[in-house]
Amino acid sequence: MQGNTACAEGALAAGCRFFGGYPITPSTEIAEHMAAKLPKVGGVFIQMEDEIAGIASVIGASWTGARAMTATSGPGFSLMMENIGFAVMTETPCVLVNIQRGGPSTGQPTMSAQADMLQCRFGSHGDYSIIALSPASVQEMFELTVKAFNLAERFRVPAFLMADEIIGHMRERIEIPDSVPREERKPLTAGALPFRAGEDMIPGFPQFGKGYGVHVTGLTHDERGYPCATSPSLHEDLVKRLVAKVESARHDIADYRVANPDAEVVFITYGSPARTVEQVLHDNPDERIGHLRFRLVWPFSEKALEEFPDAKVFLVPEQNLGQMAREIERHTCIPVVPLPRFGGALHTPAELKKAVEAWR
Amino acid sequence: MTYSDWLRADRLPHIYCAGCGNGTVINCTLSAVDRMGWKKEETVFVSGIGCSSRAPGYIMTDSLHTTHGRALAFATGIKMANPDLHVIVFTGDGDLAAIGGNHFIHACRRNIDLTVVCMNNQIYGMTGGQGSPTTPYGALSTTTPYGSQEPAFDLCELASAAGANFVSRWTSFHVKELTRSIHEGLKIPGFSFIEALVQCPTNYGRRNRFRQVMDQVEYFKTHGILVQKAHRLRDEGLPIPADAILLGDLIRRDRPAMGVRR
């Protein structure tokens, strides 16, 4: 099965019943598969007039209680930024898939990249936090899409599947389970204020059409949901809660894989470069070469770095100029070496092997 | 029940300036909704950004106050995901015709079952009076200090051409007619577009020779011309004044609609 198809199948298994989007290479197969399958399970597929409308329709659908998603790539992702901030501010669960291609601008529509990792974290205006997952196989396109839905529902945030074109268009054999884990968004207790959160910092969801009579606005709002855009303390408290509800859970929801924890030279990867590192480890059985692979990229769990107490250096091969390497640098005192390879060509095992030898 | 039962008393006073026409349109809309006998829990108001778009915040139903220009795209998601909800969109000329123009034509084309009430004050009121796509040629605004050099959009022509099932235009002077047309729009399956010209004394009127609130309302009254009369004049080969405001139900048809429970 193709990676993009696996993503769509994962969404359907996770209970996604609304897809609003706009075709764009290299993500289009997801929309095509959803267009074919959603009507058969009582869901709705709608091709909107642009990506701005795509994410807008997804947010609208989510307020009716539907599990909703969109899929896109670089240029469309850029167009979605304002409404992503709206989803954050209104605490709307939704899933966005970005099959990354080469940028900036139209760039390389058919070639792989991982250059939107910081845009997904910081691209909309204002301070906020989101959840992002990065699959490294077709199986993970399925699994992590399911996971993205569950995390979006639990935390009431946009959750991103930040795949790259290689994983999206790769074909592999996968196993589809009979059922998948399913987390529901917590409903609002009758009579409670719609935007008052308890200790978990996540308010109950007042679904449209259920008689809550909730006003939902992108303006800074009080716990009733009413606009109140001029109080410094109210704004600060709201934004801090929106960030903290995600960031404080970063170790609980951390999802990564560790190989050779006693290693001195450690690769840190996510997405398709992980596969080249796995090849290096396969060809060179050497416990001194470690591998830390993030499946969940944002919020970044810096504790994962402690899995390698003897590490002397972190080597970070990415299909960009060193976006996640920059984040890793913030959390460690040992050298962090970006190994950029982009334009569509993957790192070769030989060049990664050479990078290891430079630190021996 | 009256329209006042639909208002959130705890949000008053509202933000509208003294003399603003938007309140009239909100009252007309709520009266029309009330006449439909709809329940609050099955009705959703959606809006974008601007003076008009603050209206849903004063109404007791579920409501979504979205990003600038995008209300129709959000409303499309709501209506498609749950066709049992009655979805009404409040928008303005800048929100609908400038930044939201693409969503407007495509919502008309899809003929999705929404009722859109556009409070057209011919200006960006909330941000202090900049020119909008419906600012008349020659009119003054903060960004057209020498008079607007751009022709204005005819929103009803646009909605008609793009495929809406029901298109109507009235003004804040024509309270009964406006209420009746919004009621028609709510009844008709498919996309209903009702344009309501409103006075903006703060940011339009005072720069454009409407010194008093009622001056602009009076202008709507004296310059409004019923579509039936305009047709008669045309048929008789008589001129229609260039500054006439065409009023009435302009389009009523039965194209297939989206977002209707089948």
Side-chain angles (χ1 to χ4, degrees):
Chain A
M1 184 181 283
Q2 192 198 53
N4 282 345
T5 315
C7 168
E9 284 294 328
L12 292 163
C16 174
R17 291 298 176 266
F18 185 94
F19 185 105
Y22 189 82
I24 185 169
T25 304
S27 77
T28 306
E29 294 86 356
I30 300 171
E32 289 171 341
H33 199 72
M34 294 303 265
K37 288 289 182 76
L38 269 175
K40 293 183 178 173
V41 295
V44 173
F45 171 89
I46 185 161
Q47 182 172 321
M48 296 299 288
E49 50 273 18
D50 56 32
E51 287 88 348
I52 299 172
I55 177 66
S57 70
V58 164
I59 295 168
S62 181
W63 276 96
T64 72
R67 291 180 170 225
M69 76 178 293
T70 188
T72 189
S73 190
F77 200 53
S78 292
L79 285 178
M80 290 183 183
M81 284 301 142
E82 185 190 8
N83 283 339
I84 288 169
F86 181 82
V88 169
M89 193 58 147
T90 56
E91 303 182 67
T92 308
C94 54
V95 170
L96 294 91
V97 179
N98 181 353
I99 310 298
Q100 294 169 85
R101 68 190 225 184
S105 190
T106 315
Q108 297 175 292
T110 62
M111 302 299 259
S112 186
Q114 295 177 304
D116 308 342
M117 299 308 294
L118 294 181
Q119 186 186 22
C120 121
R121 173 67 184 80
F122 298 106
S124 195
H125 57 281
D127 285 306
Y128 66 97
S129 193
I130 47 80
I131 294 170
L133 300 138
S134 196
S137 66
V138 174
Q139 184 72 40
E140 284 189 348
M141 284 294 275
F142 181 93
E143 277 174 27
L144 296 186
T145 302
V146 172
K147 190 161 191 170
F149 273 99
N150 287 335
L151 290 169
E153 297 289 320
R154 194 206 310 178
F155 288 95
R156 283 187 64 182
V157 284
F160 298 79
L161 189 80
M162 297 298 290
D164 52 70
E165 185 273 340
I166 291 172
I167 303 298
H169 280 162
M170 174 188 286
R171 284 174 195 273
E172 287 180 320
R173 185 179 297 274
I174 75 163
E175 275 180 35
I176 294 183
D178 293 333
S179 67
V180 298
R182 184 178 168 119
E183 284 190 57
E184 303 291 342
R185 62 185 83 158
K186 175 178 69 181
L188 181 67
T189 313
L193 290 177
F195 288 90
R196 172 172 289 173
E199 271 183 19
D200 64 355
M201 294 180 273
I202 306 160
F205 188 79
Q207 183 180 324
F208 281 9
K210 297 284 187 193
Y212 289 110
V214 62
H215 181 55
V216 180
T217 176
L219 282 164
T220 296
H221 44 271
D222 61 19
E223 291 177 332
R224 297 173 298 176
Y226 291 178
C228 183
T230 51
S231 161
S233 62
L234 192 132
H235 182 77
E236 200 173 308
D237 289 348
L238 174 61
V239 172
K240 279 182 174 169
R241 177 175 69 76
L242 294 178
V243 172
K245 74 173 177 178
V246 177
E247 292 296 323
S248 66
R250 67 190 185 282
H251 304 311
D252 296 336
I253 63 174
D255 187 348
Y256 53 83
R257 297 285 184 265
V258 170
N260 298 339
D262 299 327
E264 293 174 351
V265 179
V266 178
F267 284 107
I268 301 182
T269 66
Y270 55 94
S272 59
R275 302 176 69 103
T276 316
V277 172
E278 279 164 10
Q279 189 65 43
V280 172
L281 265 59
H282 178 265
D283 296 343
N284 306 276
D286 181 347
E287 291 192 353
R288 291 173 303 164
I289 309 174
H291 186 194
L292 171 61
R293 176 168 76 85
F294 284 96
R295 293 177 5 129
L296 189 144
V297 180
W298 302 113
F300 187 77
S301 173
E302 73 280 5
K303 271 193 186 166
L305 305 179
E306 294 167 13
E307 302 278 356
F308 297 87
D310 302 328
K312 286 194 307 192
V313 60
F314 290 130
L315 304 178
V316 190
E318 296 181 83
Q319 297 176 69
N320 59 47
L321 272 169
Q323 296 194 4
M324 291 309 294
R326 201 183 174 95
E327 176 68 17
I328 296 160
E329 251 178 347
R330 301 199 314 126
H331 302 290
T332 182
C333 298
I334 67 169
V336 175
V337 181
L339 297 172
R341 170 69 61 223
F342 58 101
L346 262 183
H347 305 80
T348 62
E351 76 182 279
L352 293 188
K353 178 85 195 313
K354 210 169 145 191
V356 173
E357 276 156 12
W359 287 89
R360 281 277 166 76
Chain B
M1 197 151 68
T2 70
Y3 66 83
S4 59
D5 293 330
W6 291 74
L7 292 172
R8 291 182 193 269
D10 59 347
R11 282 228 54 217
L12 301 175
H14 54 69
I15 59 160
Y16 298 122
C17 304
C20 173
N22 286 359
T24 308
V25 181
I26 295 169
N27 287 351
C28 292
T29 307
L30 292 180
S31 294
V33 170
D34 203 44
R35 210 177 283 178
M36 292 297 290
W38 289 349
K39 295 190 184 113
K40 285 175 195 159
E41 58 266 31
E42 59 189 22
T43 309
V44 178
F45 285 88
V46 183
S47 65
I49 293 293
C51 292
S52 63
S53 295
R54 288 302 193 98
Y58 301 112
I59 299 171
M60 225 180 260
T61 66
D62 292 327
S63 55
L64 194 60
H65 176 219
T66 71
T67 48
H68 196 21
R70 319 299 174 197
L72 287 171
F74 284 90
T76 298
I78 294 171
K79 188 65 181 170
M80 290 302 290
N82 186 355
D84 292 333
L85 295 173
H86 307 298
V87 184
I88 301 158
V89 178
F90 280 127
T91 183
D93 44 308
D95 194 51
L96 184 77
I99 189 165
N102 198 27
H103 310 304
F104 183 34
I105 57 174
H106 285 278
C108 291
R109 172 183 64 82
R110 290 189 185 101
N111 202 23
I112 183 156
D113 189 23
L114 305 171
T115 299
V116 178
V117 179
C118 176
M119 304 173 198
N120 178 4
N121 60 6
Q122 305 171 291
I123 200 85
Y124 285 87
M126 183 161 275
T127 48
Q130 297 76 32
S132 91
T134 60
T135 300
Y137 188 84
L140 297 178
S141 74
T142 61
T143 51
T144 57
Y146 308 108
S148 172
Q149 296 302 300
E150 299 181 11
F153 240 143
D154 184 327
L155 303 181
C156 289
E157 287 281 351
L158 189 62
S160 304
N165 257 359
F166 179 71
V167 178
S168 180
R169 182 192 288 118
W170 294 102
T171 80
S172 51
F173 173 77
H174 302 87
V175 170
K176 283 195 170 154
E177 297 88 340
L178 176 60
T179 307
R180 187 193 54 76
S181 283
I182 296 172
H183 186 230
E184 282 301 298
L186 296 175
K187 281 194 287 186
I188 289 173
F191 195 89
S192 299
F193 177 69
I194 297 101
E195 176 183 357
L197 282 158
V198 290
Q199 72 279 13
C200 174
T202 304
N203 277 317
Y204 184 82
R206 74 186 161 97
R207 293 194 180 93
N208 289 285
R209 297 190 304 280
F210 298 121
R211 302 301 292 259
Q212 301 296 321
V213 172
M214 287 311 292
D215 292 350
Q216 196 172 359
V217 179
E218 186 69 21
Y219 181 92
F220 292 151
K221 177 185 164 189
T222 53
H223 288 70
I225 170 170
L226 273 178
V227 59
Q228 290 86 347
K229 185 180 177 187
H231 287 165
R232 198 171 66 238
L233 289 174
R234 189 192 57 200
D235 292 345
E236 292 169 2
L238 297 168
I240 300 168
D243 56 357
I245 305 167
L246 201 58
L247 299 177
D249 297 345
L250 307 170
I251 286 282
R252 183 195 294 265
R253 60 190 162 196
D254 192 22
R255 287 179 67 233
M258 281 182 75
V260 180
R261 179 72 74 192
R262 287 176 219 284

